[in-house]
Structure formats: structure tokens, C-alpha cells
Amino acid sequence: MGLVEFFHGKTFSGLHTMLAKKILQNADYLCAMSSADKRLVERELPEKKVAFWIEPPYSNPAAEAKTFSKKESREWLGVTDDIILFFGFIRPYKGLIYLIRAMPLILKKKPNTKLIIQGVFWKDRQKYFDEIEKLDLKDHILIREGYVAGDDRAKVFYSADVVVMPYLDISESAIIPLSWGFGIPIICTAVGGNVDWITDGKEGYLTPPKDPDALANAVLDFYSKKMEKPFKDAMKKRMKEIAWSEKQEKVILGDF
């Protein structure tokens, strides 16, 4: 049986680069998990042939919890406004600060909007609270610190109209399949593997990183053009396209 290696771009970061090259050179089959990673390994290991597969979700997260209506989920949160959601670990590369800075622009045209931040701060926690204070956004942003799973995670997602991922850089993110599993569309930056899932204006919106104006315009466009249903319909179609295939199974089982 050959050696199959799945990898993502962080494999080639910092001190890991030399070790990663040594390990991956021994592989018979290299599978990049984003098109950006494929380009990276082709640059680092030009002699290797690299396949690219989007890693599909192995189970539907919505099936692991109860289904809740948007209304009852928002009642559970104590929110009556429309909701945009940021979910996951809060690290600098996730770009949350730019979403916070987009909120005054969103609220100027759509004052009944609430940003829910559900996650764990990695570091520099206070800078986000300082930014919220400076921009006078305390009444428009709800921060829920901590990890959630099961029914609580489901209610957080079902409360939202759209998930926003303002990442500065990314290899591939688990938040997209997680959000899509709950049927929630996404606005994200056009970095890394995000572009493999989403075509701008089809399954969601793509914006440039570090651009609060672009994020705000995408959110406002989402609401003004009533894009929730069209995005959901396109998401369902895309999920079928990237479902686990017979070819992928053969590679994993050694029949290649």
C-alpha cells in the first residue's frame, strides 16, 4: 500500500518547512486541501504531482442536534435584530477587527443589525473590546465567549442570516462546511481555500481582506437583494458537487 499524504498550507510555515518537505517527499500521493495549498506545494516540491480535493464534511452537523427556527434561536439569545455571525477561535489572522470596523457602515443603512461573536479569544482580547467601545458599538455587538456544541451551537447558527469570515489569510477553514451544514450562507474574504467553496455572488460573497467598506457593502447587498434563499439553493448544489467520491475512497483504501 502506498503512502497518502493530506496536507494544508501551515505545513510549510516557519521551522516546519524543512521537516514537511522531508516527510512529503516520501509520499506516493499528495492531496492538497485547497487550490492555494496545491500551488504552494508545487512551488516547494516541483518534482511531485499534487492532486487537489476539497475535503467534504464527514457528517452534517445539523443532524447531530435539534433543528431550531430562527425565531426561537433569537429568543434564546435575547436578540430581536437581524443577525450576522462570526464563529470560531479569535486569532489575528481571522480579521475580526475589520468586521467590527465595518459595523458602523452597516448600521448607518441597516440599524436593526446585530453582530454575534461566538468564540474563544486567542490573545489581545482587550483590543477588540476597546475597538467596540471606541466605535460606540456596545448595543450592536453581542460577544459570547467560549466553546459551544450540540444544541447550543445549533441555536447560534440557526439564529444567523449569514456568517461573516473576514480572514486575512487561510489555508482552508472548517467554518465553511460547518456553516453550510446548518444551511447558513457565508460572506468571506477571497483568500486561501475560501475561493474553492464560494463563487462571488453565487454561493455567497467574496471580499478583499482588510477592507471594512467591502465587508459592509457585501452585508448590505445581502440584505437589500434578499440573497439568503438564492445562496442557500446554490450551496446545496455545490455540496453535492464536492461530496465524497469513489476516486477519493480508492486513494484512501489504497486502490490507486
Side-chain angles (χ1 to χ4, degrees):
M1 180 176 177
L3 174 62
V4 180
E5 281 284 347
F6 285 85
F7 63 90
H8 58 76
K10 295 297 182 184
T11 304
F12 290 101
S13 63
L15 296 175
H16 296 162
T17 301
M18 189 176 295
L19 180 60
K21 284 185 177 182
K22 194 171 184 65
I23 293 172
L24 294 180
Q25 280 172 342
N26 294 320
D28 300 296
Y29 199 103
L30 292 176
C31 304
M33 297 167 70
S34 74
S35 58
D37 289 348
K38 183 176 186 291
R39 291 191 295 272
L40 174 62
V41 81
E42 285 173 338
R43 185 189 73 210
E44 297 288 342
L45 297 170
E47 73 281 4
K48 284 289 185 181
K49 185 177 180 180
V50 187
F52 159 50
W53 297 340
I54 294 179
E55 183 182 18
Y58 294 101
S59 63
N60 183 348
E64 299 168 6
K66 295 178 183 177
T67 300
F68 300 92
S69 69
K70 191 177 289 187
K71 182 176 182 294
E72 61 187 328
S73 297
R74 290 180 179 178
E75 287 176 351
W76 175 76
L77 285 170
V79 176
T80 57
D81 292 331
D82 291 335
I83 289 175
I84 61 177
L85 172 65
F86 177 97
F87 187 92
F89 285 110
I90 301 163
R91 298 179 175 182
Y93 79 87
K94 298 283 186 82
L96 175 59
I97 199 75
Y98 296 97
L99 177 54
I100 292 171
R101 290 170 183 168
M103 283 303 293
L105 305 171
I106 294 168
L107 293 166
K108 192 176 293 185
K109 292 189 176 179
K110 194 175 184 306
N112 63 322
T113 306
K114 188 87 127 187
L115 168 59
I116 304 293
I117 299 170
Q118 175 73 62
V120 177
F121 289 93
W122 192 253
K123 64 178 183 177
D124 299 328
R125 176 182 179 275
Q126 191 57 43
K127 82 170 185 178
Y128 299 98
F129 288 86
D130 290 345
E131 192 75 9
I132 290 167
E133 178 76 29
K134 182 178 80 173
L135 297 174
D136 194 23
L137 293 172
K138 286 189 295 183
D139 293 336
H140 304 285
I141 296 178
L142 173 61
I143 297 177
R144 302 183 78 253
E145 292 189 62
Y147 176 82
V148 288
D151 287 354
D152 285 355
R153 181 177 67 176
K155 283 184 276 193
V156 169
F157 273 95
Y158 285 133
S159 73
D161 299 312
V162 65
V163 170
V164 183
M165 297 168 50
Y167 294 6
L168 312 185
D169 185 28
I170 188 68
S171 174
E172 41 85 30
S173 174
I175 300 301
I176 296 179
L178 179 63
S179 182
W180 280 20
F182 286 107
I184 312 301
I186 289 173
I187 294 169
C188 63
T189 47
V191 297
N194 293 350
V195 299
D196 301 322
W197 288 79
I198 294 170
T199 299
D200 185 37
K202 186 176 180 182
E203 297 90 2
Y205 285 129
L206 297 172
T207 72
K210 299 184 180 180
D211 193 335
D213 285 359
L215 279 174
N217 288 335
V219 170
L220 292 169
D221 213 53
F222 172 82
Y223 283 110
S224 66
K225 293 183 178 178
K226 298 180 170 33
M227 294 303 295
E228 186 173 8
K229 186 179 185 305
F231 283 168
K232 286 183 176 182
D233 290 343
M235 285 158 46
K236 290 176 184 176
K237 183 178 178 182
R238 181 72 177 129
M239 288 288 278
K240 289 180 181 178
E241 293 172 355
I242 62 175
W244 198 253
S245 71
E246 184 178 343
K247 179 184 176 183
Q248 288 163 305
E249 289 177 0
K250 284 183 177 179
V251 169
I252 300 304
L253 295 175
D255 183 15
F256 65 94

